[in-house]
């Protein structure tokens, strides 16, 4: 069965038409063609019987010449008499086919003597051979005496009208399905962060309703993200102000274990606030644009190498993709930073995989237990039990990475690496 709406709609539309045509053709075979074939066969068999009866009554050469001339001019029959010949092959059972069966029955009924016929003498003629007392009479007749041209005209009319109707149906159904495809494409682009401002409702009323609902949803999501960003900007300002005052107050205090600990706590709080804002802000305000994914990946690996990480990079396929560059850089940087924190070596492979672009990160670290792999994507979850931000981080790195990947319509998966550590697979759809 077709999986697409266009294929299913055409199947629903064309199946009854096809069944109707099949029934019509069957009725035609049963009634019209059967009747016409029987009448034509009886007419030809009657002419053959008349010629044989005439020759039986007047077997002299003069009458043979006359009936030969008359049959050719009026009956469209060419007569050739072969004296003292014996019929080598005889038709005793009707051959396969409606016309052959009807001709056999008609000749058998009217001649009552051995006969043989060949309907495929050539493209235009057929032959009937009849055993007489004095020899064999060969009668050659045009094929059109048995085949009615209206039969083929009927089939051509049925087939031609069906093709025209199917063509019109395909054109109209494609026009009806096109708005649905545009709506699906717009939804896919919106899910990947691509601007869809040129999209407008069109098509049938139900499709327009769905498109209008999609536009309303897009606007509501946009307002929600804007309000969230504005709120977080205010929270950031409100939190940074007292933190700055605390840093100034602590800077004026004399160094002591308690003061140094408070200074470190303030620094940790600033890092946590920055990490939380980066996670909550996500991709807000950044527009998707054609981005060289290979260059972006190379730049990020170069920065990690300068920071002292050991990374092996291999890019199988490179292409321009509709991405939010900063968001994708943050996603890749968080994944590599997480690997650099726990592993000594990292291997990065990138290339096409079907309709997706896949980036695989394999490290040689301790890995993550299978039952904890979904937990690490939760905000502020850390496998490292200590509160030291330098060793365990804030707990938002992988959360931001998955949030960014899903914002592009992709996904992040955690698996076992062949090197014994952790494999992170970043899947990005290449779009339509």
């Amino acid at each position: 069965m077709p999986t697409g709406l266009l294929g299913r709609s055409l199947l629903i539309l064309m199946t009854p038409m096809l069944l109707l045509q099949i029934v019509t053709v069957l009725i035609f075979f049963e009634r019209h063609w059967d009747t016409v074939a029987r009448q034509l066969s009886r007419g030809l068999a009657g002419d053959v019987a008349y010629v044989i009866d005439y020759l039986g009554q007047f077997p002299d050469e003069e009458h043979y010449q006359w009936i030969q001339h008359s049959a050719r001019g009026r009956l469209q029959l060419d007569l050739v008499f072969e004296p003292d010949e014996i019929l080598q092959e005889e038709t005793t059972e009707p051959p396969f086919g409606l016309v052959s069966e009807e001709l056999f029955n008609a000749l058998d009924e009217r001649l009552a003597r051995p006969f043989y016929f060949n309907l495929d003498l050539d493209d235009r003629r057929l032959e009937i051979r009849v055993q007489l007392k004095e020899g064999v009479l060969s009668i050659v007749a045009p094929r059109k005496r048995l085949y009615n041209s209206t039969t083929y005209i009927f089939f051509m009319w049925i087939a031609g009208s069906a093709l025209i109707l199917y063509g019109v149906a395909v054109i109209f159904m494609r026009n009806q399905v096109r708005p649905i495809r545009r709506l699906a494409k717009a939804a896919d682009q919106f899910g990947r962060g691509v601007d869809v401002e040129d999209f407008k409702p069109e098509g049938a009323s139900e499709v327009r309703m769905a498109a209008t609902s999609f536009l309303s949803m897009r606007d509501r999501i946009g307002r929600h993200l804007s309000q969230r960003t504005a709120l977080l900007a205010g929270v950031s300002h409100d939190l940074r102000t007292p933190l700055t005052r605390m840093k100034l107050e602590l800077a004026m205090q004399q160094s002591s274990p308690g003061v140094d600990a408070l200074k470190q706590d303030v620094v940790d709080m600033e890092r946590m606030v920055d990490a939380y804002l980066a996670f909550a802000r996500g991709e807000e305000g950044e527009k998707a644009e054609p981005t060289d994914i290979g260059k972006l990946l190379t730049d990020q690996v170069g920065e990690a190498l300068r920071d002292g990480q050991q990374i092996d990079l291999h890019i199988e396929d490179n292409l321009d993709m509709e991405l939010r560059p900063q968001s994708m850089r943050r996603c890749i940087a968080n994944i590599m930073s997480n690997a650099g924190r726990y592993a000594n070596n990292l291997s990065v492979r990138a290339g096409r995989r079907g309709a997706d672009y896949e980036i695989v990160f394999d490290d040689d670290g301790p890995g993550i237990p299978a039952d904890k792999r979904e937990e690490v994507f939760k905000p502020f979850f850390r496998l490292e039990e200590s509160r030291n931000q330098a060793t365990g981080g804030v707990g938002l790195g992988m959360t931001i990475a998955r949030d960014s990947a899903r914002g592009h319509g992709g996904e992040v998966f955690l698996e076992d690496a062949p090197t014994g550590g952790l494999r992170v697979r970043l899947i990005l759809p290449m779009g339509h």
Side-chain angles (χ1 to χ4, degrees):
M1 299 296 293
T3 57
L5 178 61
L6 177 61
R8 292 187 176 186
S9 300
L10 292 176
L11 184 65
I12 294 173
L13 180 65
M14 294 179 179
T15 298
M17 296 175 58
L18 183 61
L19 291 176
L20 176 62
Q21 290 179 338
I22 292 175
V23 171
T24 302
V25 170
L26 290 177
I27 293 176
F28 175 81
F29 267 105
E30 185 68 23
R31 300 292 181 84
H32 177 75
W33 198 7
D34 185 45
T35 301
V36 170
R38 184 180 300 110
Q39 295 299 329
L40 291 176
S41 298
R42 288 180 177 179
L44 179 59
D47 292 344
V48 172
Y50 170 76
V51 171
I52 293 175
D53 290 343
Y54 184 87
L55 291 177
Q57 293 292 330
F58 306 99
D60 56 277
E61 182 64 22
E62 182 179 355
H63 284 86
Y64 172 74
Q65 294 294 334
W66 181 87
I67 192 63
Q68 187 181 41
H69 176 75
S70 180
R72 180 181 297 110
R74 298 184 179 182
L75 304 179
Q76 296 181 314
L77 301 178
D78 291 328
L79 307 181
V80 177
F81 181 69
E82 303 172 6
D84 301 327
E85 287 291 328
I86 298 177
L87 191 64
Q88 299 296 326
E89 188 175 1
E90 180 181 353
T91 304
T92 58
E93 294 183 0
F96 177 78
L98 177 62
V99 175
S100 300
E101 182 179 356
E102 293 295 344
L103 181 60
F104 173 83
N105 293 333
L107 292 174
D108 187 59
E109 177 183 353
R110 284 168 171 75
L111 297 183
R113 64 185 68 211
F115 64 88
Y116 169 78
F117 63 86
N118 179 14
L119 301 183
D120 298 317
L121 183 63
D122 55 36
D123 293 339
R124 296 184 178 183
R125 300 181 302 167
L126 60 90
E127 181 184 27
I128 301 174
R129 297 173 62 84
V130 183
Q131 180 68 59
L132 304 180
K133 293 182 179 180
E134 297 81 8
V136 174
L137 178 64
S138 174
I139 304 171
V140 178
R143 286 172 57 87
K144 64 181 181 180
R145 291 212 51 182
L146 283 182
Y147 295 91
N148 190 355
S149 61
T150 58
T151 301
Y152 304 101
I153 294 175
F154 174 77
F155 282 119
M156 292 176 62
W157 181 83
I158 287 287
S161 61
L163 291 176
I164 293 175
L165 292 175
Y166 293 161
V168 172
V170 169
I171 293 174
F172 276 90
M173 289 306 303
R174 283 174 61 90
N175 291 335
Q176 295 301 313
V177 172
R178 188 178 294 113
I180 301 177
R181 290 178 174 172
R182 289 177 178 172
L183 175 59
K185 182 178 180 181
D188 177 71
Q189 289 177 332
F190 179 69
R192 293 187 287 111
V194 181
D195 188 14
V196 290
E197 292 181 356
D198 59 342
F199 174 75
K200 61 180 180 180
E202 59 181 350
S205 58
E206 293 83 359
V207 180
R208 289 176 179 268
M209 290 175 58
T212 303
S213 299
F214 164 74
L215 292 176
S216 300
M217 178 193 69
R218 182 197 65 180
D219 295 338
R220 286 194 297 268
I221 293 175
R223 288 194 299 268
H224 168 72
L225 293 177
S226 298
Q227 292 171 357
R228 186 185 69 170
T229 303
L231 176 63
L232 292 173
V235 171
S236 173
H237 179 270
D238 293 341
L239 289 176
R240 289 180 186 277
T241 300
L243 285 174
T244 302
R245 288 200 301 265
M246 292 172 63
K247 289 176 67 176
L248 290 174
E249 290 291 340
L250 291 172
M252 298 174 62
Q253 299 293 327
Q254 293 182 355
S255 178
S256 67
V259 172
D260 293 340
L262 285 175
K263 288 181 179 180
Q264 184 61 43
D265 287 342
V266 171
V267 173
D268 292 342
M269 289 177 64
E270 286 185 325
R271 291 177 56 191
M272 292 179 66
V273 169
D274 291 340
Y276 174 71
L277 291 177
F279 163 69
R281 188 181 302 113
E283 58 211 27
E284 174 63 19
E286 186 181 7
K287 298 294 184 181
E289 59 186 48
T291 303
D292 188 337
I293 184 64
K295 184 177 183 303
L296 186 148
L297 191 58
T298 302
D299 292 343
Q300 290 304 121
V301 170
E303 292 183 10
L305 290 174
R306 286 191 293 271
D307 291 338
Q309 283 189 252
Q310 298 296 321
I311 302 178
D312 175 29
L313 173 64
H314 178 68
I315 300 176
E316 300 173 5
D317 303 289
N318 188 25
L319 73 157
D320 289 342
M321 299 178 64
E322 290 284 341
L323 299 174
R324 289 178 290 278
Q326 295 302 324
S327 176
M328 186 50 55
R329 286 192 182 97
R330 186 161 53 246
C331 173
I332 295 174
N334 286 347
I335 294 175
M336 292 193 300
S337 175
N338 187 72
R341 186 177 292 113
Y342 299 103
N344 296 322
N345 298 285
L346 175 64
S347 172
V348 182
R349 298 289 183 271
R352 299 171 184 260
R353 299 295 184 271
D356 300 323
Y357 193 85
E358 182 180 77
I359 306 175
V360 178
F361 305 84
D362 288 330
D363 64 46
D364 58 355
I368 298 177
D371 58 341
K372 297 290 185 180
R373 288 174 183 170
E374 282 301 315
E375 298 290 329
V376 300
F377 291 111
K378 294 181 179 180
F380 305 107
F381 178 85
R382 300 194 309 163
L383 287 173
E384 207 272 335
E385 299 295 337
S386 73
R387 306 308 298 171
N388 189 343
Q389 303 294 330
T391 58
V394 178
L396 287 173
M398 296 305 295
T399 308
I400 294 174
R402 173 172 276 188
D403 183 64
S404 175
R406 288 181 173 178
H408 289 84
E411 187 56 275
V412 175
F413 299 99
L414 303 183
E415 303 169 354
D416 292 325
T419 55
L422 180 68
R423 163 172 287 186
V424 180
R425 287 197 303 121
L426 172 60
I427 305 297
L428 297 173
M430 290 188 291
H432 305 285

